[in-house]
Each structure stands twice: as C-alpha cells, then as structure tokens.
Amino acid sequence: MAKRKEENFFSPENAKRPRQEELEDFDKDGDEDEGTASFANGTSTLTAAEVGIIESIQLRNFMCHSMLGPFKFGSNVNFVVGNNGSGKSAVLTALIVGLGGKAVATNRGSSLKGFVKDGQNSADISITLRNRGDDAYKAHVYGNSIIVQQHISMDGSRSYKLKSETGTVVSTRKEELIAILDHFNIQVDNPVSVLTQEMSKQFLQSKNEGDKYKVRSTKFFMKATQLEQMKEDYSYIMETKERTKEQINQGEERLTELKRQCLEKEERFQSIAGLSTMKTNLEYLKHEMAWAVVNEIEKQLNAIRDNIRIGEDRAARLDRKMEEQQVRLNEAEKKYKDIQDKLEKISQETDARTPECLALKADVTARKRAYNEAEVLYNRSLNEYKALRKDDEQLCKRIEELKKSTDQSLEPERLERQKKISWLKEKVKVLQDQEGSVNQEIEQFQQAIEKDKEEHTRIKREELDVRHTLNYNQRQLKELKDSKTDRLKRFGPNVPALLEAIDDAYRRGRFTCKPVGPLGACIHLRDPELALAIESCLKGLLQAYCCHNHADERVLQALMKKFYSPGTSRPQIIVSEFRNEMYDVRHKAAYHPEFPTVLKALEIDNAVVANSLIDMRGIETVLLIKNNSVARAVMQSQKPPKNCREAFTADGDQVFEERYYSSEHTRPKFLSRDVDSEISDLENEVENKKAQISNLQQHLSALEKDIKRNEEFLRRCQLHYKELKVKIRKTISEIRELENIEEHQSVDIATLEDEAQENKIKMKMVEKNMEQHKENMEYLKSLKIEAENKYDTIKLKINQLSELADPLKDELNLADSEVDNQKRGKRHYEEKQKEHLDTLNKKRRELDMKEKELEEKMSQARQICPERIEVKKSASILDKEINRLRQKIQAEHASHGDREEIMRQYQEARETYLDLDNKVRTLKRFIKLLEEIMTHRYKTYQQFRRCLTLRCKLYFDNLLSQRAYCGKMNFDHKNETLSISVQPGEGNRAAFNDMRALSGGERSFSTVCFILSLWSIAESPFRCLDEFDVYMDMVNRRIAMDMILKMADSQRFRQFILLTPQSMSSLPSSKLIRILRMSDPERGQSTLPFRPVAQEEEEDRSRSVP
C-alpha cells in the first residue's frame, strides 16, 4: 500500500496537505494542465487483512436504537441480516458518521442531531479498526487496534476520542482521525467503499449521465480509482510553479534595487576626488545666502509699506462710511421719533373721542325714536283733518242743495239717508282709529326688526372674532403638541426638515460657517414668568437665523425656498460675522437694582446668538418689570434708568417714557417651559371659545326667530292696514254716493247746519293739534339731524384717525427696524475701524522692526562679502543647497581616511547583486524543466486513466456474461459523464436498454456487476453494500452471491460487509464467512422515525415488483 508525499520545491520541509473533505471548493474541472502523481495499485500478498478493517462496532442511543452491539466482524466476508427496522442501516450509517463522514453522505438526515434517539441528550458510536503488521499506524502508541469513539450532542456537535488497544485516550483531535484514515486509505464518503441502498438507487435511476461519473458532487469513478488525488497533486504542483514565478518576479525587483545600491556605492567611491571643488562652491553659496537674506527683507519691507498705504486708504474710507452711517442713523431716529409722535397723538385723539362717540350714538337713537313717535301723531292728526275737511265740504254742498230744493215730499227717505250717512261716518272714524293703531303697530314692529338686525350683526361680528381666536388657539395647540416630541416644531412645522438640510449642506461644504438658528431655540429663560415679556420684545427674531456672510445667506435662502411656499412669510436672516466672544456691553447696558434686562434674563451659550440679539434689538437696554403699574411708575412717573429705552411687563405690554402699548397676546408661543400646562390652559381656552361660539350661535338663532316672528307680525299688520284702507275707501265712496243722490224731499237744513258748525269746530281743534304736532315733529327732526350730524362727524374723525394709525404703525415698525439696522451698521463700522487701526499700528511697528533688521543684515552681509552681488535664487533654496553640500562634504570627510571601507562596501554590494542574479537564472531554468516534466506526466496520467477505464469495462462485461447479459459502459472524461446500458439475454437479439428499463432484480444484478468492476480496480481495506439483493429474484440473487463470494475469496486481504434482509441460510459453511443476525425491532419501532413516508412507500412498491 503506497502513501503519498508532497514536497515544496523551495522549502526543505515536507508538508502534508489536507484531505479532500476540507477542500470542497477546490477546482473540480479536468483541465489539460493537471500534473501526475505516483499511484500504487496491486494485489497484496497477505492472506488476511492486517490494517484498516472493521473489527467491531457498538452504538448507543443512535437513531431509534438504545443499544446495538458490539458487533464483531470477520476479516473477510460479513453478512448482516435482519428484518426491516432491526438496525442494519443504522450500523452502516454509524460506520460513515463514526469515521468522520457528513450527515448528508448517509442519505438518512441533513444534520447530526437527527441521529440522536428521541428523548435522549446524546448518542455514542464506537468503532475498532485493525492495526497490525508492517503498515500499522503508530503501532508503538495504539497497538494492534485503534478504537474510534464519537459523541454526538443534541445540538448537532460531535467530539472524538482515539484510544489505543488498551483503552488509553491517545488523541481527541479530528486531524489525528484524518491521518489514520489517510494511512489506511479509508474513504467513507466514497461509494466504492460504502454504497448505501439509496445511493445505488439514485445512481441507477439518474437521468443525468454525469451523476454516474459524479455522485453527490463526489467524483465517483475518479475518486474510486484515486485519479482524483492525482489531479489534486498536479494542481498543487502547478500552484507551486506559480508561486515560484512570483518569487522570480520578486527576485527581479530585488535585483533592480541591488543594482541601484551598487551604483551608489560606486558613485560614492568616485566622489572623493571632488571634495575641494565642493568647498569652493560652499563658500560662494554662503556669499549668495548673505545677500539673498537682504533681498528678501527688502521685499518684505516693500510689501509692508504697500500694506500700510492700502490700510491708510481703507481707514479713510471707513471714516467716510462711519460719517455716512451716522447721518443715516440720525435720519432714521428722527423719522422714528416723528412717526412715534404722530401715532401717539392719533392714539390720544382716538381715546378722547371714543366716549363722546358712544354718547352721541345713544342720543341719535333716542332722537330717532322721539321723532318717529311725533311723526305718527302728526300723520294721525293730518288724516283726521283731511277727513273733517272733506265732510265739511260735503255738508256745505248738501245744505246748499237742500236750500234750493222746495220739494219736501221725500223728507223721510232723506232722513233715512242722513242716518245711514251718519252711521257710515261713524264707521269711517272707527276704521280710521283702527288704521292709526295698526300703523303704530307697524312702526313698532319695524323698529323691533331693525333693532334685532343690528343686534344680529353685532353678535355675528363677535362670533367671527371668537372663531378667529379659536382657529388661532387650535393651531397653537397643535404646534404645542407637536413640540412635545420635537421642540423645534414650535418655531414652524418645516424647521426640523430645514435644519437637516442645513446640516447636510454644511457637511458638503456649501457653508463657510454653519448658520445658527432659530434663535429662540438657542436661548433659555432664567425666570419662566418673563416668557411673554421676552417674546413681545424679540418678536420675529425668535424665528430668525444668523449667517457668517452674504454667500452663506444666499445658500440659506435657496434652502428656505424648498420649505416655504411663495407668498408665505420666511424667517429673517441676519448677516453678521461670527465671533467666539460676546460683545462687552457693560458701559452701555441699562441697570436697575430690582429689575433685570432681557440680556440678563436669558441664558445664551452661543456668542453669535447673543451678539445678534444685541445688534438687532438692543436687549441690554430693555428692562423686564412684571407688574404693569410698577412699570409705569419706573418708566413714566420718574426719569427712566440710565441707558434704558423701554420696558416690558409680564403681560407683554410695552412701556416707553411717554407711551404705553398693550400686548395683543395673552400667552407665550415659543419660550414656555411647562408645555403640558400650556396645552392644558390652551385646551380649556379652546373649550371656552367653543362654548362661547355655541352661546353666540344660540343667541343668533333666537334673534333670527324673533326677526322672522316680527316680520310675520309686520306682514299681517301691513295686510290688515291695507284691508282697513280698502274698507275706508269703500265706506267713503258709499257716503259720497248717498250724499250725491238728488233728494226731492225736504230736509232739515238746521240739523245739517248744526252738524256743519260742529264739524268746523272739530276742524279748528284738529288743525290746532296738527300744527302743534308738526311744530313738535319739525323740532324733533332738527334735533335728530343735528345729533346724526354730530355722530357722523365724530365717527368719521375716529375712522380717519384709525386709517391714519394703521399705516403709521407699519411705518413705525419699519422705522424701528431701520434704526436698529443703522445702529448695527454703525457699530459694525466702528469695530471694523478699531480692528483696522490696530492692524495698521501693528504693521507700522513691524515696519520699524524690519528696517532695523535690514540694517543688521546688510552689516552682516558686508562682513561676509563686502561687495553686493546679484542673487537670483531665494534664501530657502540656497539654504537647502548649502545644507546638502555640507552634508556631502561631511560625509566625504568621514570616509576620506577609510578608502578600503568604501571599496569593501562596493564589492559586497556587487557580489550580492551577482549572487541573486544567478539564483533567479537557476529558478527560471527550473521552471522551464518543470513545465517539460509536467507535460510528460500529464500524458502518462491520461494513459493510466485509459487503462483503468478499459479494465473497468472488461470486468463489467465479464461479470454480466455470467448470466448471458450484454452491457456497455461509455466514459467521457472531458465532460465527466458515464453512461451504462445493459441487455438481458442474447446481445444480438435486441438493442441495449437503459438501466431504468430493467426490472428491479435486473437493476440490482447490474448494480452488483458495476460495483464489483469498480472493486477490481480500486483500493480500500473494506467494502460495504446495503441490501444489494433486495430487488433480485432467487436466480439473480444466487448468481450475484456467487460472484461476490468468488471475488471475496480471491481478495482475502480485504473485508466485505454485506447488509441484506434475507436469511442467508443457503450459504456454504466457511470460516471466512461470518453472519451477524439482528434482533427483531421493538414494537412500535419497525421504521426509523426520521425517514420520509414517501420514501418508505416507494421502497415498498419497489419490493413488490416480481
């Protein structure tokens, strides 16, 4: 039995390569450049196997068996017989797993934990291998047997113990087991060594001819014949060749470096002669260096003088800009004062006229009511007078008619008409009284409707105001709730996204300095009660951002366009150079022993934020006074504190020295700390506003109902009034008709004349009353008109004042901003001027120092070189040349007295170079020779592969012929395919059939023939077959058994383990044959628990085939 050895061509050590199982990803393609390795395939002269065979095996808690074995195997033929489920396949599976095989190689499971019996924590396998004779593995350590014990845990892990014949643990490493298997040439994952029934079935029924060449990615034929190991050896040699080429390339690179070093040594040797020349050059370089320093100082002096001249011009420009800025500041302050005075005057006039306006409005209402009542009385008297005058005319006419009439025969009829006329007149009077009463009711209803409509308009306007307040509060409530998770959302819903965009732009380098903002998020209150006061003071600055320069401002404006739609207000951007220190405002800050300024009431960590608020709002000059009356007393009753311009109260009211403005807001929006309290208060206020709206809507509904009811009453009264008018007209018309009838009867003229006299008296009385009512009505009308004119005049003045005040407020805000901007601009130029003057003075001092330095350097240069020379190189370049030349001279001085050392170094470098050059040439010759040898050995490998293929075919044909079968095996080594066809009976009577077309017994017999042919050309200490005869009839089984026993008899140095469910009672008795009978399975354990049901059904169907 031959063992392989690998040798590294460039290392004296021998290295054992890992097994194939550990190199699963190795190249499996049969390339033409594979090498050749020595392979021994012969028949041992031993009569019995001495190494590598299975002496015994024992299982515990393995698969579905609590305990199996120990089974003692013979050295030649072993039959393991028993019913299905008795443990035959478990023994074969344990042999594969116990010797290091993978779970998938057993076709019984995909993981080792599946082999542990249900209900148990672990499984154990113990296998004893024979280790005798000259080829024994470490016989002095293990003895005549090697015991391999494997422990499998429930989690799928396993451990090994390798024991000697006496039971002593020699090793627990898997590498030791692999070395033992390599030594014995045992390959448990090789189907030639261990062929399970399932693998044989898959092999014969496979549709892919490559599977006969490769089984489960393991090269079947190649591995069985150890040609695969030869291919791996050749591949390893080719890899070694490539590594050698890399060494050659590295050697060539090293040769280049050695050649360079050799040339340097040679140059150093030759440079000794130029030492004096180098010293002369050094002296000249020193002269140039002296005057080069003078030249550079003169250039620096000229540059400083130019900078001072430019600085003086800039200082003058800054002075002019400061003067212009002061002029603009004075104009802005004057404009602010004028607008402020106008607004204060308008406010005072408006406040003074408001009580008068309200009194005049009440007076107009009363005058209207009195005038309407007087007009009703006058119209009633006028109507009565008109009726009496008409009656008088009719009576006079009738009297005249009666006087002319002489016929008194119709006196009774005339009297009857007179009575009817009198009755009708009484009826007319009653109807007219009703008409006056209905007319008065109409006026009352009209007044009530007008009053209700005015009240409805007022309530509707009040409801709209409350609804606007509700919407504002609801928006603020939503912002407050959002700010609980993100405080930045208080300053606007788009602020978090905008800040992320700013961070991203800053990371990408779009900003010189990262903008700061919103400013309200960068400040903190020392006293939460002053939140509304500070918000009223800072206003929109709380949402503003600060930029270092105008370029950053433009970038920020572009970012804001993405988050703020056109037409909506954007946060203010303040452009001011960022400083790390806050302004020193102690000399101009307001001071009061009891009340802080806005600056002191805030905690500001960022100096940029503090400086911006000082510039834009002057927070160091604004006091915070919680109580309103105290604020008035401090600012208005006495002279305000020094440097104090204004003050704010806790209610947000703004207090000046002569003015007081109430805040429009009742709570802070941005700076409140107690968000939950704010949310609770705002929710209560929202509920109150909703209740107020509900009450107002109920009031509006009641008013609308009253208006509708009064309008309905008014309509009825107007209809009644029209009906009375119609009745009056009809009655008067009837009276006229009766009065116009020609009466031929005599009438009582005296009665008519009395009636006429009474009518005239009534007319005079009614006329007198009418005149009195008219005079009273005219008087009341004049009073009404006068009151209306007064009210309209005062109302017009108040409206005009309001119209004037609105634009003035906007102008005042703009003027205030303009004043702040101008102050900031003035402060900016003052600081710039101060900085510039400091820099300018520093430059002047530097000029004086440089002039003194120039005098010193010129004096030193004249000492070194009296005459000034023209120098074109800079002092730094000359300094480098001087240092380099000095170092070279020093090096030459150091080596000048040891010429032999320089020669020795030069010789050593040259010898090293030549030695490496010789080695590289030798390696190149070796690579060329190796390529020739590999070409020859690969041809030999191909010839050897053809011989093994031919032997396998001959063995296969010979074995088939024992039953008069014909067969054919076609190998395609290039495509790695193997096709097998078998024809039962005479071969010339039918064409060859595919293996799948055979019956179960014929397939099993063919399988045995194929396996025996591979056994004849492959080396392995033992062979295992599982249920090789399960599909055979009695004739095929007997022939196959004879063939196997015949081969076993001819190969007594190998061990054969055959698993079958048959009784094997017909076997001849022989000391070389051992039959191991398995006990019947326990009840309920006739099948393994983890085998698929479909697989069992398929096997049952296969066994039923005749």
Side-chain angles (χ1 to χ4, degrees):
M1 184 177 301
K3 295 189 285 290
R4 301 182 304 277
K5 294 184 180 179
E6 295 82 12
E7 182 177 356
N8 190 326
F9 287 87
F10 305 104
S11 175
E13 300 177 357
N14 293 332
K16 189 173 184 67
R17 289 188 294 111
R19 289 172 57 83
Q20 183 180 355
E21 301 95 294
E22 300 173 349
L23 302 173
E24 293 179 353
D25 294 331
F26 190 73
D27 180 23
K28 298 181 176 63
D29 298 331
D31 298 334
E32 291 299 324
D33 58 351
E34 293 177 344
T36 312
S38 63
F39 182 89
N41 183 19
T43 304
S44 175
T45 59
L46 297 175
T47 58
E50 292 186 339
V51 294
I53 66 173
I54 310 299
E55 289 187 342
S56 67
I57 185 168
Q58 183 176 1
L59 312 178
R60 186 174 66 85
N61 296 332
F62 189 78
M63 294 174 70
C64 58
H65 304 282
S66 300
M67 180 65 72
L68 283 179
F71 301 108
K72 303 291 184 179
F73 293 101
S75 62
N76 192 223
V77 180
N78 297 271
F79 287 94
V80 181
V81 299
N83 295 325
N84 289 334
S86 59
K88 302 188 302 299
S89 297
V91 173
L92 188 61
T93 302
L95 179 64
I96 297 173
V97 175
L99 293 180
K102 297 181 180 179
V104 293
T106 66
N107 292 309
R108 294 282 179 168
S110 59
S111 175
L112 291 176
K113 62 184 178 182
F115 295 121
V116 179
K117 183 180 178 183
D118 290 344
Q120 300 298 324
N121 296 325
S122 62
D124 294 293
I125 303 171
S126 178
I127 301 173
T128 304
L129 301 177
R130 182 171 293 180
N131 188 42
R132 302 176 185 173
D134 296 337
D135 288 333
Y137 180 79
K138 296 182 182 180
H140 62 287
V141 177
Y142 289 98
N144 293 331
S145 299
I146 298 176
I147 302 172
V148 180
Q149 290 185 352
Q150 184 175 153
H151 180 78
I152 303 173
S153 302
M154 274 297 294
D155 58 358
S157 63
R158 60 181 171 183
S159 59
Y160 296 94
K161 286 184 180 179
L162 303 177
K163 297 182 178 180
S164 65
E165 180 183 11
T166 61
T168 304
V169 177
V170 177
S171 176
T172 59
R173 298 171 65 249
K174 186 177 181 180
E175 290 76 7
E176 179 73 4
L177 175 62
I178 293 173
I180 294 172
L181 298 179
D182 277 344
H183 186 83
F184 293 158
N185 200 22
I186 296 174
Q187 299 176 350
V188 292
D189 56 348
N190 190 342
V192 175
S193 297
V194 180
L195 183 65
T196 63
Q197 180 186 8
E198 182 66 22
M199 189 178 296
S200 174
K201 178 180 177 181
Q202 291 178 2
F203 173 76
L204 292 174
Q205 293 183 353
S206 173
K207 297 179 181 180
N208 185 1
E209 295 178 351
D211 290 342
K212 299 180 179 62
Y213 199 87
K214 299 178 181 178
V215 176
R216 289 187 179 273
S217 300
T218 304
K219 295 184 178 180
F220 190 87
F221 172 77
M222 297 289 288
K223 193 163 186 177
T225 58
Q226 292 187 332
L227 289 173
E228 178 66 22
Q229 187 64 45
M230 295 176 68
K231 284 184 64 177
E232 291 180 4
D233 291 342
Y234 295 160
S235 298
Y236 179 75
I237 292 172
M238 298 308 293
E239 289 176 4
T240 305
K241 184 186 76 172
E242 294 300 323
R243 287 197 297 271
T244 305
K245 287 183 177 180
E246 291 179 2
Q247 292 181 1
I248 292 173
N249 294 334
Q250 294 174 359
E252 290 177 344
E253 294 176 359
R254 177 64 179 160
L255 276 176
T256 304
E257 178 66 19
L258 288 175
K259 186 175 182 181
R260 184 187 64 78
Q261 293 178 0
C262 185
L263 292 175
E264 287 180 356
K265 299 292 183 182
E266 184 178 1
E267 182 183 358
R268 183 182 175 189
F269 173 73
Q270 294 176 355
S271 65
I272 298 176
L275 184 61
S276 60
T277 303
M278 287 189 289
K279 290 182 178 180
T280 304
N281 292 337
L282 179 62
E283 289 298 321
Y284 183 74
L285 287 175
K286 289 180 178 179
H287 294 172
E288 286 187 331
M289 181 65 180
W291 288 107
V293 172
V294 173
N295 289 342
E296 290 191 355
I297 294 177
E298 288 177 345
K299 290 179 182 179
Q300 292 174 4
L301 275 173
N302 293 331
I304 293 173
R305 291 191 183 102
D306 292 339
N307 290 336
I308 290 174
R309 185 173 60 257
I310 294 171
E312 289 173 348
D313 295 339
R314 187 182 179 191
R317 288 197 303 272
L318 287 173
D319 287 335
R320 290 194 297 272
K321 288 186 177 180
M322 285 176 61
E323 293 173 358
E324 294 172 359
Q325 192 69 30
Q326 184 63 45
V327 172
R328 288 195 291 270
L329 176 59
N330 294 337
E331 292 176 354
E333 288 179 343
K334 184 178 180 300
K335 183 179 179 182
Y336 179 82
K337 187 68 170 60
D338 293 341
I339 296 172
Q340 198 174 48
D341 292 341
K342 290 179 182 178
L343 191 60
E344 181 66 22
K345 185 177 179 181
I346 291 172
S347 179
Q348 291 174 356
E349 290 181 9
T350 303
D351 293 342
R353 294 178 185 275
T354 300
E356 182 182 359
C357 180
L358 295 175
L360 288 173
K361 184 178 181 182
D363 186 55
V364 167
T365 304
R367 298 294 182 185
K368 282 184 177 179
R369 189 179 298 110
Y371 171 75
N372 291 334
E373 293 174 356
E375 188 179 18
V376 169
L377 294 175
Y378 171 74
N379 290 331
R380 189 179 299 164
S381 299
L382 180 62
N383 292 331
E384 186 179 357
Y385 177 77
K386 288 180 180 179
L388 290 173
R389 189 174 62 183
K390 192 171 184 181
D391 291 342
D392 183 64
E393 290 176 356
Q394 291 177 354
L395 286 172
C396 293
K397 184 177 179 182
R398 184 61 179 163
I399 291 171
E400 289 297 328
E401 290 177 355
L402 288 175
K403 285 180 179 181
K404 293 178 181 180
S405 175
T406 56
D407 189 3
Q408 301 293 330
S409 61
L410 299 176
E411 185 66 18
E413 187 178 349
R414 185 185 64 79
L415 291 175
E416 185 66 28
R417 284 198 302 272
Q418 282 295 124
K419 289 180 180 179
K420 188 174 183 180
I421 289 171
S422 298
W423 178 78
L424 289 174
K425 286 181 178 180
E426 289 295 330
K427 183 179 179 182
V428 168
K429 185 177 180 181
V430 172
L431 291 174
Q432 286 176 344
D433 291 340
Q434 292 179 0
E435 179 188 9
S437 177
V438 171
N439 189 33
Q440 190 174 4
E441 290 179 358
I442 289 174
E443 291 177 355
Q444 291 175 353
F445 284 129
Q446 287 176 341
Q447 291 175 0
I449 290 171
E450 183 180 357
K451 182 179 179 182
D452 288 344
K453 286 184 176 179
E454 290 179 358
E455 182 70 10
H456 185 275
T457 302
R458 184 185 66 80
I459 297 298
K460 191 69 176 176
R461 188 163 52 250
E462 184 178 353
E463 183 204 9
L464 289 175
D465 294 339
V466 175
R467 195 173 293 279
H468 288 318
T469 305
L470 175 63
N471 293 335
Y472 174 77
N473 289 341
Q474 287 177 335
R475 288 196 302 272
Q476 193 172 0
L477 180 61
K478 182 178 182 302
E479 292 174 0
L480 280 175
K481 288 182 178 179
D482 291 342
S483 68
K484 288 186 69 176
T485 56
D486 190 349
R487 181 171 177 264
L488 293 173
K489 287 189 177 180
R490 280 197 183 189
F491 303 92
N494 299 323
V495 169
L498 175 60
L499 291 180
E500 289 182 4
I502 290 173
D503 291 338
D504 183 62
Y506 179 68
R507 285 193 296 270
R508 288 186 286 153
R510 297 181 63 188
F511 289 110
T512 306
C513 294
K514 181 181 174 181
V516 179
L519 299 186
C522 304
I523 63 178
H524 303 282
L525 302 179
R526 299 182 188 272
D527 187 354
E529 294 182 3
L530 296 174
L532 182 57
I534 293 175
E535 281 197 16
S536 300
C537 175
L538 300 182
K539 296 180 181 177
L541 290 176
L542 293 172
Q543 296 175 279
Y545 292 79
C546 295
C547 287
H548 178 66
N549 52 39
H550 290 286
D552 289 352
E553 179 197 16
R554 288 191 291 272
V555 176
L556 183 56
Q557 288 281 15
L559 292 178
M560 284 185 177
K561 288 181 181 178
K562 300 178 181 178
F563 300 98
Y564 295 91
S565 57
T568 59
S569 61
R570 297 181 189 171
Q572 181 181 355
I573 299 177
I574 303 168
V575 180
S576 180
E577 184 178 357
F578 287 2
R579 291 188 172 192
N580 295 327
E581 296 180 357
M582 194 177 78
Y583 296 148
D584 184 4
V585 295
R586 290 175 291 180
H587 62 285
K588 59 178 181 178
Y591 172 75
H592 193 281
E594 298 180 17
F595 310 115
T597 61
V598 176
L599 180 60
K600 290 183 178 180
L602 294 175
E603 292 181 359
I604 307 176
D605 299 329
N606 194 331
V608 174
V609 176
N611 293 339
S612 298
L613 294 179
I614 291 171
D615 288 339
M616 298 300 296
R617 191 61 183 87
I619 58 175
E620 78 282 5
T621 64
V622 182
L623 286 180
L624 298 175
I625 306 171
K626 293 182 180 180
N627 188 275
N628 296 354
S629 59
V630 176
R632 285 181 181 271
V634 171
M635 296 298 296
Q636 296 178 351
S637 299
Q638 54 189 351
K639 186 177 181 180
K642 183 181 178 182
N643 295 330
C644 179
R645 294 192 302 110
E646 56 187 307
F648 283 87
T649 69
D651 295 332
D653 297 345
Q654 188 176 14
V655 186
F656 291 94
E657 185 176 357
E658 298 178 355
R659 302 179 309 281
Y660 187 98
Y661 297 103
S662 298
S663 174
E664 298 177 356
H665 303 285
T666 58
R667 63 170 50 85
K669 180 180 179 182
F670 303 108
L671 301 180
S672 175
R673 288 187 181 177
D674 191 358
V675 179
D676 293 330
S677 176
E678 286 290 321
I679 290 174
S680 177
D681 293 342
L682 209 52
E683 286 177 344
N684 292 335
E685 189 166 342
V686 166
E687 293 300 324
N688 292 336
K689 292 298 179 184
K690 288 182 178 179
Q692 189 176 351
I693 289 174
S694 178
N695 293 333
L696 291 174
Q697 287 177 343
Q698 291 177 2
H699 193 181
L700 286 174
S701 178
L703 287 174
E704 290 171 356
K705 290 180 180 179
D706 290 343
I707 291 171
K708 289 182 179 179
R709 186 173 61 253
N710 289 334
E711 286 178 344
E712 179 63 24
F713 289 152
L714 176 62
R715 186 184 64 78
R716 292 178 183 177
C717 289
Q718 288 174 343
L719 183 60
H720 189 198
Y721 183 78
K722 290 180 181 179
E723 291 175 353
L724 290 174
K725 282 284 188 183
V726 171
K727 289 180 178 180
I728 291 172
R729 283 198 301 273
K730 287 182 178 180
T731 305
I732 294 174
S733 176
E734 188 176 353
I735 292 172
R736 288 176 180 174
E737 289 178 358
L738 290 173
E739 289 176 347
N740 291 330
I741 295 175
E742 287 289 338
E743 292 185 3
H744 300 286
Q745 298 86 359
S746 61
V747 294
D748 190 358
I749 296 174
T751 304
L752 292 176
E753 287 177 350
D754 293 339
E755 186 178 349
Q757 188 63 31
E758 290 177 1
N759 195 39
K760 288 182 183 293
I761 293 170
K762 286 182 180 180
M763 282 177 62
K764 288 179 180 180
M765 291 174 62
V766 170
E767 185 177 3
K768 184 178 179 181
N769 291 333
M770 185 179 67
E771 290 297 331
Q772 290 176 354
H773 290 319
K774 185 176 182 181
E775 290 174 1
N776 187 33
M777 184 183 70
E778 292 296 333
Y779 173 72
L780 292 174
K781 183 177 181 180
S782 63
L783 292 178
K784 179 177 77 76
I785 293 172
E786 182 182 357
E788 287 178 345
N789 291 334
K790 288 181 180 180
Y791 174 72
D792 291 340
T793 302
I794 193 71
K795 186 67 176 177
L796 179 61
K797 288 181 180 180
I798 291 175
N799 291 337
Q800 289 175 349
L801 289 173
S802 298
E803 291 175 357
L804 291 173
D806 290 339
L808 282 176
K809 288 180 181 178
D810 296 336
E811 291 180 13
L812 183 66
N813 291 331
L814 294 175
D816 189 25
S817 299
E818 182 64 22
V819 169
D820 290 338
N821 289 335
Q822 296 303 331
K823 285 182 178 180
R824 184 167 57 85
K826 180 184 175 184
R827 192 180 298 110
H828 171 74
Y829 285 120
E830 288 175 349
E831 292 169 356
K832 285 288 185 184
Q833 180 71 310
K834 183 180 177 182
E835 292 178 1
H836 182 66
L837 291 177
D838 292 341
T839 305
L840 192 60
N841 293 330
K842 185 178 179 181
K843 289 289 184 183
R844 287 169 179 163
R845 291 193 295 271
E846 186 180 357
L847 178 64
D848 295 337
M849 294 173 61
K850 283 292 180 184
E851 289 176 346
K852 293 179 182 179
E853 185 181 359
L854 178 62
E855 292 177 0
E856 294 176 359
K857 294 297 181 183
M858 289 187 70
S859 175
Q860 295 174 2
R862 288 191 182 96
Q863 291 177 2
I864 297 172
C865 180
E867 295 183 2
R868 184 164 184 168
I869 58 178
E870 183 179 356
V871 182
K872 295 182 179 179
K873 297 179 181 179
S874 64
S876 60
I877 295 175
L878 289 171
D879 185 58
K880 291 179 181 178
E881 291 182 359
I882 289 172
N883 290 333
R884 185 166 56 249
L885 195 57
R886 279 177 178 170
Q887 291 174 359
K888 196 170 183 180
I889 290 172
Q890 290 175 358
E892 293 298 333
H893 273 298
S895 61
H896 184 68
D898 195 0
R899 184 184 297 268
E900 291 77 10
E901 178 66 18
I902 296 175
M903 284 293 297
R904 186 185 63 77
Q905 292 178 359
Y906 171 66
Q907 290 296 332
E908 287 180 355
R910 187 169 182 274
E911 289 174 1
T912 303
Y913 169 75
L914 293 175
D915 181 61
L916 183 60
D917 182 62
N918 185 42
K919 289 181 179 179
V920 170
R921 294 175 185 274
T922 302
L923 287 175
K924 288 182 177 179
R925 289 194 297 271
F926 170 74
I927 289 295
K928 183 178 180 181
L929 179 62
L930 181 63
E931 289 176 347
E932 294 175 356
I933 293 173
M934 290 302 296
T935 302
H936 173 71
R937 297 201 66 173
Y938 185 70
K939 291 180 180 178
T940 305
Y941 161 78
Q942 290 178 322
Q943 182 179 1
F944 182 60
R945 185 175 63 188
R946 286 194 296 272
C947 291
L948 290 178
T949 302
L950 182 59
R951 285 179 59 193
C952 185
K953 289 181 179 180
L954 291 174
Y955 276 117
F956 187 67
D957 291 341
N958 183 35
L959 293 171
L960 288 177
S961 63
Q962 295 185 23
R963 283 204 61 195
Y965 283 19
C966 296
K968 182 168 64 175
M969 299 174 66
N970 293 324
F971 288 89
D972 186 350
H973 297 293
K974 182 177 181 181
N975 297 321
E976 296 186 342
T977 59
L978 169 59
S979 61
I980 300 175
S981 54
V982 175
Q983 174 60 46
E986 296 296 331
N988 56 359
R989 281 186 287 176
F992 288 98
N993 293 331
D994 187 26
M995 297 283 283
R996 290 171 295 176
L998 302 177
S999 65
E1002 292 169 344
R1003 267 203 314 272
S1004 297
F1005 175 75
S1006 301
T1007 302
V1008 171
C1009 294
F1010 177 65
I1011 294 301
L1012 292 178
S1013 64
L1014 290 178
W1015 281 359
S1016 301
I1017 63 173
E1019 292 290 336
S1020 180
F1022 59 83
R1023 285 88 160 78
C1024 298
L1025 276 179
D1026 184 9
E1027 298 191 6
F1028 64 94
D1029 57 349
V1030 68
Y1031 298 123
M1032 297 182 184
D1033 54 16
M1034 293 302 295
V1035 176
N1036 286 324
R1037 183 179 294 111
R1038 179 177 53 77
I1039 295 174
M1041 189 65 65
D1042 291 343
M1043 293 166 58
I1044 292 174
L1045 293 177
K1046 182 178 180 181
M1047 175 170 284
D1049 184 62
S1050 66
Q1051 298 182 6
R1052 295 186 180 182
F1053 53 86
R1054 289 196 176 91
Q1055 184 182 43
F1056 297 85
I1057 300 174
L1058 309 175
L1059 281 70
T1060 176
Q1062 308 299 327
S1063 62
M1064 295 291 116
S1065 58
S1066 61
L1067 288 176
S1069 59
S1070 171
K1071 63 179 181 178
L1072 299 177
I1073 299 175
R1074 177 174 294 183
I1075 300 176
L1076 302 176
R1077 300 187 184 277
M1078 307 293 290
S1079 301
D1080 290 338
E1082 297 177 4
R1083 181 171 298 174
Q1085 297 292 331
S1086 58
T1087 59
L1088 299 180
F1090 52 81
R1091 294 184 64 187
V1093 176
Q1095 182 176 336
E1096 292 289 334
E1097 293 175 355
E1098 182 179 352
E1099 291 180 1
D1100 293 339
R1101 288 195 300 270
S1102 299
R1103 293 189 179 97
S1104 65
V1105 177

